Amino acid sequence: MVIVMEETATEEQISGVIDKLVRLGFDIHRSTGVRHTVLGAVGEHDIDWRDIELLEGVKEVLRITAPYKLASKSFKADGTKIKIKDVVIGGREVVVMAGPCTVESRDQVMAIAEIVSRSGAKVLRGGAFKPRTSPYSFQGLGEEGLKYLRQAADRHDLLVVSEVMEPSQIPLFIRYVDILQIGARNMQNFNLLREVGRINKPVLLKRGPAATIEETLLAAEYIMSGGNHEVILCERGIRTFEPYLRNTFDISAIPVFKKLSHLPVAADPSHATGRRDKVAPVAQAAVAAGADALLIEVHNDPDNALCDGAQSLLPEQFEQLMHRLRLIAEAVDREVAPGVEEAVR
Amino acid sequence: MVIVMEETATEEQISGVIDKLVRLGFDIHRSTGVRHTVLGAVGEHDIDWRDIELLEGVKEVLRITAPYKLASKSFKADGTKIKIKDVVIGGREVVVMAGPCTVESRDQVMAIAEIVSRSGAKVLRGGAFKPRTSPYSFQGLGEEGLKYLRQAADRHDLLVVSEVMEPSQIPLFIRYVDILQIGARNMQNFNLLREVGRINKPVLLKRGPAATIEETLLAAEYIMSGGNHEVILCERGIRTFEPYLRNTFDISAIPVFKKLSHLPVAADPSHATGRRDKVAPVAQAAVAAGADALLIEVHNDPDNALCDGAQSLLPEQFEQLMHRLRLIAEAVDREVAPGVEEAVR
Amino acid sequence: MVIVMEETATEEQISGVIDKLVRLGFDIHRSTGVRHTVLGAVGEHDIDWRDIELLEGVKEVLRITAPYKLASKSFKADGTKIKIKDVVIGGREVVVMAGPCTVESRDQVMAIAEIVSRSGAKVLRGGAFKPRTSPYSFQGLGEEGLKYLRQAADRHDLLVVSEVMEPSQIPLFIRYVDILQIGARNMQNFNLLREVGRINKPVLLKRGPAATIEETLLAAEYIMSGGNHEVILCERGIRTFEPYLRNTFDISAIPVFKKLSHLPVAADPSHATGRRDKVAPVAQAAVAAGADALLIEVHNDPDNALCDGAQSLLPEQFEQLMHRLRLIAEAVDREVAPGVEEAVR
Amino acid sequence: MVIVMEETATEEQISGVIDKLVRLGFDIHRSTGVRHTVLGAVGEHDIDWRDIELLEGVKEVLRITAPYKLASKSFKADGTKIKIKDVVIGGREVVVMAGPCTVESRDQVMAIAEIVSRSGAKVLRGGAFKPRTSPYSFQGLGEEGLKYLRQAADRHDLLVVSEVMEPSQIPLFIRYVDILQIGARNMQNFNLLREVGRINKPVLLKRGPAATIEETLLAAEYIMSGGNHEVILCERGIRTFEPYLRNTFDISAIPVFKKLSHLPVAADPSHATGRRDKVAPVAQAAVAAGADALLIEVHNDPDNALCDGAQSLLPEQFEQLMHRLRLIAEAVDREVAPGVEEAVR
């Protein structure tokens, strides 16, 4: 922490600040400049920097140590590779996770699992517990939905990712899914973060729509501090003044996350844009910018989907997109798994 | 819902849209203009407007019916007055809720309750369960904290407001508090909203830092649809590009909430600004703009507070502020309860 | 400037950074901590801090010296009082500047000047050159408009403020107006800022809708560095995700400006809200938060106004508002000039 | 325009609104629903919709006709191709515009022109008039700079793009440049837009950092309404709450612009990110998302650049990037011109 004193700060005020910091356990380096006196406070004591900022004579407080450690690149220089069965997230392959917004029936999940698997997806996504903005909307199939996901995934050799809503659901999720998703609205639900930090299943952590990159890394840190180091960060759009689409996908968050952290980075163009016809360009952009994984909503009958049909790709759109993603991945020295057709060739 | 067709839309596309809407149960009014064909869809069917927007030939979809009803002014023209014991929120009095960020000990709460009561506060605020951004920080006293709040409030004839974090805590809160607070991060935690909608205690609902005014009203609607109509809206700052303070207090949200809804509106200048020296001007502004209640953090020893000391007012600052608030309230035909000194005069 | 090195930075990288800074003319204090090496660079050389941030081994660069000096509180501890004829901006009085959005005719300006003067306004505002979003809209009366403003102001003992659009218009404005307004869109038009810095008339500088508080102070600094120290800062709303009103009025910017700078601070609730029915609450809030001046649009026939009628107060609304503002000003130890009726009493 | 009346609106209020609209020249369709009366106002009269919104009994006003016409896809379904000499912007080729932030000397421009030309750029960019945030910084070479750009471009068979700051500079720019750039800060400088609308040179229009997509299209419309239809839209990042990089590049603006308008779309990753190490991923993403052109800053000696060296690519970085862009362009059925090395192969 660096404390910059006002130009007009008195010697008494400076001593006051130094005394306070020393009492808090810091070592102090004082540097007297032409305009400002600057105090460097060395130590790792957990204090509220605003308390220092409010002391008399203080102009501003500059915080040095980024408060995340386990998630930072300096903790671990090499990128984390998360291996689940034969899928590696964070390696050369860009892993595609696809499926419906919500699990509606066994048949639906079976059909979509086949479609996305044939096109090269490695992970089946789908919601079983749906927190809906209207109390009258479909609230998900619950455990039944998780079962269907598991069955469909197993039949097509896919992994399963699904969103866990509260701590009490974790034991259930552990039984059925391979990756637990923390939704954007829960990114700072610290009870939930703490609990998923105690299990040993990978966690996909979505950035909140009003969360900075740093706050997202702090949320990852929260999970990791519990012992679970397998966290996948996920950019899914932030809230800005631009109203045309649901959120503004922050494309540069991908390279920034990769510079600051060793954790793999996923992108969710479906939720960011909220419109089927904008999913492909943003998915392509995410791969071009270095994403390690993608989450894409696909539905075999989006017109009758119980949730977010408007942002779900049709099967043939998904297949076309996967084809393009393969070419773009190659252009950036990565790869996307081949679909059935491609594999045969 | 009004559907505006592209200028280039074909008759076939227009018929396609009409057919779809009729199948969904809407009555259609077609209006053919020089440039656009416009379709008015009349009915109250819960559909995803984006599905219509994606149909061929559609330029844009304008949604008419605001999706909140119970919370809207047109549902109830007169302002809702929430009466708890002898305190009325939403009446002529601007009710001040004050207390520490978090309950630290019985002595602390007793001392602060006395201070805020003497200055004219009517409600004691304080956190018992604290979701902290660091897993190593103090997490609150839990039920013990609620007990202390109740005891301190009873001794000084105050009400109690405290934040409930999850549905399982509700029975506990009902026993101890008069108003359940839903925190900004939980504004769209629909499980929690649903559950507080089923009780008959008033709820103070904080606007999320990335939530629009409309979304806040929808969250209130969610609670009210469960039968609990005693909701207090609370502006506490939104996230913007301006970095100097923690959040940007949206002062005009106060008159906008009051125009759109009959619910009382509170303001929380402590969390919005995050700095003690900015709390008073924003509190004063909120009353001048028409707020029905204020939430203010006060601490008798902020330097040693376990949480957010930097934004807590000192007792004497609180007393001064209350004095000013009384004058401003009068200027806008409202009143703030007198403190002990004032009452004596 | 403080340079924080990565934990993994090599001695070679650290030396590289030191060498670069020394070559640029800085003195360096090196502090080696358990985790980081931190370099303090002392000197006032104008460099791009991003160049340092990109050096190998650098984690982050913290800038100390706020780049504004003349505008800062540490340059001048007492608040600047700008005296124009017998009006003082920045003193005990909250000065109200009122008038139409745009000058439409001699009669209109005369009528409105009488209205606002009778209610206690001290400055007549009005646009003569109007940059309109549609090329087909009324573009203002030009010099004719300035003349009418001057005549109307002189008759009612008012000052004149009007927006100057480009450097070439300055000589014209000097002849007719008392305060030159820089519009929000021109806040970073550095040519224009430089030119108004060379004259000796007060400048009212509007914060841009996407400008931070710091950037606004830098724009003021730009003007002041030319020799003109009579700058009035003006908050008029920023762009955020909230769509209900045109802009989000940043109420806490008022106390922040006053903490960081000695310059007087004005507020423009008309442009911030864009709606007549929201002007009064925000104007009241601005005074309660410490504003030194207000800009308010008033029109005697807003339904037929050529510009922004929707945000103009009716004469009787303005009079009522002025009455309230007087009471609020008193509550915060300020005053608003009495209107004719009040003065008589 | 569709006017939605309050549920509680009286017949008198409804008639009042209808009368007002009829007087303004609109035809009215009235539709009485169970909850609301809805009025459709047909006509193309230029009115301020807020005036209607403020009438008694009005709940909200929905504007139908997007106020831009010439720039809209419905005006011209095929994408506009702007042909300048043998370069086509908006065709199959993704055109790369590269060069220094500012022209520093004849030698510098000559050297950089050779570099970017060898790597496949088709347009040389560079600033001659630099509006700097500090009054003491280098302000550009002026006409001299434009001359150097022209000479360097001619020698290497490049076009020239450079930013015009004010109307008086236009004649000068017409003499030297092929594309006039309107900077982000000037996107709503309507005087300047009007003047470039009267010439017959292509205009590259940068989106303002606080401008919506719709406002950017309106600014393009402003230019086009003067007769100049050769406008290139340019996404360069918007201001959001995320502080890590200078701006948030709005990647989905690219497909949205292309859906709403027929104009070509460029991307400027250098200004959006402000950091050399983030330029390549965002440039790659922009091409993957469908950009028609890129603006990239390149400098042969960025450490000593007079302006924005931190965001300028080194020659070898630019060459590598161009190589990748070629592969990505192919993946999306586009192409980037080969560099010298590639062409030889």
Side-chain angles (χ1 to χ4, degrees), chain C residues 106-290:
Chain C
R106 193 169 179 285
D107 286 356
Q108 173 234 27
V109 177
M110 282 294 171
I112 296 178
E114 183 174 355
I115 290 163
V116 301
S117 159
R118 285 180 65 87
S119 293
K122 289 293 185 69
V123 185
L124 180 65
R125 57 143 292 148
F129 296 85
K130 298 303 297 179
R132 304 301 295 283
T133 45
S134 161
Y136 313 109
S137 298
F138 176 63
Q139 308 283 322
L141 291 180
E143 181 169 3
E144 207 68 9
L146 293 177
K147 260 187 217 165
Y148 298 157
L149 280 171
R150 186 75 266 163
Q151 291 170 3
D154 285 347
R155 179 175 299 180
H156 297 283
D157 203 21
L158 298 166
L159 303 180
V160 170
V161 60
S162 191
E163 182 180 348
V164 61
M165 308 296 304
E166 35 185 86
S168 63
Q169 297 170 343
I170 293 176
L172 196 64
F173 272 71
I174 288 180
R175 229 175 310 143
Y176 294 107
V177 313
D178 301 293
I179 306 172
L180 280 75
Q181 178 179 315
I182 302 289
R185 281 180 195 147
N186 273 326
M187 195 201 87
Q188 295 188 313
N189 179 337
F190 295 106
N191 285 344
L192 185 55
L193 297 183
R194 189 177 48 236
E195 296 307 319
V196 297
R198 291 175 178 163
I199 63 174
N200 60 0
K201 288 256 185 189
V203 174
L204 184 132
L205 175 69
K206 288 208 175 174
R207 178 183 183 184
T212 61
I213 287 172
E214 190 185 36
E215 288 164 348
T216 309
L217 290 169
L218 282 168
E221 183 81 11
Y222 209 95
I223 296 170
M224 296 171 84
S225 69
N228 185 353
H229 286 208
E230 301 204 316
V231 177
I232 303 157
L233 305 169
C234 182
E235 165 63 30
R236 44 74 74 208
I238 58 174
R239 188 141 227 178
T240 71
F241 65 83
E242 170 55 49
Y244 189 83
L245 296 177
R246 195 198 283 175
N247 285 117
T248 298
F249 187 85
D250 182 2
I251 187 79
S252 45
I254 296 171
V256 173
F257 275 134
K258 294 196 82 71
K259 182 190 158 71
L260 299 178
S261 176
H262 53 85
L263 297 172
V265 179
D268 178 348
S270 304
H271 281 87
T273 63
R275 279 178 61 127
R276 187 184 305 145
D277 59 348
K278 300 297 174 290
V279 169
V282 175
Q284 293 167 192
V287 172

Side-chain angles (χ1 to χ4, degrees), chain B residues 48 235 339:
Chain B
D48 187 340
E235 166 62 30

Side-chain angles (χ1 to χ4, degrees), chain C residues 65-130:
Chain C
T65 314
Y68 53 90
K69 297 174 195 172
L70 303 173
S72 78
K73 198 91 176 184
S74 57
F75 179 77
K76 182 164 177 301
D78 295 335
T80 286
K81 289 184 175 63
I82 298 178
K83 195 168 174 346
I84 316 166
K85 295 172 189 168
D86 56 350
V87 175
V88 177
I89 299 170
R92 183 179 155 82
E93 184 179 344
V94 180
V95 175
V96 177
M97 312 183 180
C101 168
T102 192
V103 179
E104 300 168 20
S105 71
R106 193 169 179 285
D107 286 356
Q108 173 234 27
V109 177
M110 282 294 171
I112 296 178
E114 183 174 355
I115 290 163
V116 301
S117 159
R118 285 180 65 87
S119 293
K122 289 293 185 69
V123 185
L124 180 65
R125 57 143 292 148
F129 296 85
K130 298 303 297 179

Side-chain angles (χ1 to χ4, degrees), chain D residues 124-167:
Chain D
L124 181 64
R125 58 142 292 147
F129 297 86
K130 298 304 298 179
R132 303 301 295 283
T133 45
S134 160
Y136 312 110
S137 299
F138 176 63
Q139 309 282 323
L141 291 181
E143 180 169 3
E144 208 67 10
L146 293 178
K147 261 187 215 165
Y148 298 157
L149 280 172
R150 185 75 266 163
Q151 291 170 3
D154 286 347
R155 179 175 298 180
H156 297 283
D157 203 21
L158 297 165
L159 302 179
V160 171
V161 60
S162 191
E163 182 180 348
V164 60
M165 308 297 302
E166 33 185 86

Side-chain angles (χ1 to χ4, degrees), chain A residues 256-305:
Chain A
V256 173
F257 275 133
K258 294 195 83 69
K259 181 191 160 73
L260 300 178
S261 176
H262 54 86
L263 297 172
V265 179
D268 178 347
S270 303
H271 281 87
T273 62
R275 281 178 59 129
R276 187 182 305 146
D277 59 347
K278 299 297 174 291
V279 169
V282 174
Q284 293 166 193
V287 172
D292 297 304
L294 290 179
L295 259 86
I296 295 178
E297 294 197 1
V298 177
H299 202 287
N300 53 351
D301 183 13
D303 279 1
N304 295 306

Side-chain angles (χ1 to χ4, degrees), chain A residues 284-285 287-289 323-332, chain D residues 91-96 119-120 280-294 320-338 342:
Chain A
Q284 293 166 193
V287 172
H323 176 68
R324 287 221 153 158
L325 293 180
R326 260 170 229 120
L327 300 175
I328 293 172
E330 269 171 52
V332 293
Chain D
R92 184 177 154 83
E93 185 179 343
V94 179
V95 175
V96 177
S119 294
V282 174
Q284 293 166 194
V287 172
D292 297 304
L294 289 178
Q320 274 170 32
L321 171 61
M322 289 296 281
H323 176 67
R324 288 224 153 154
L325 293 180
R326 258 168 230 121
L327 299 175
I328 293 172
E330 268 171 52
V332 293
D333 295 329
R334 305 287 290 268
E335 64 187 42
V336 166
E342 246 106 347

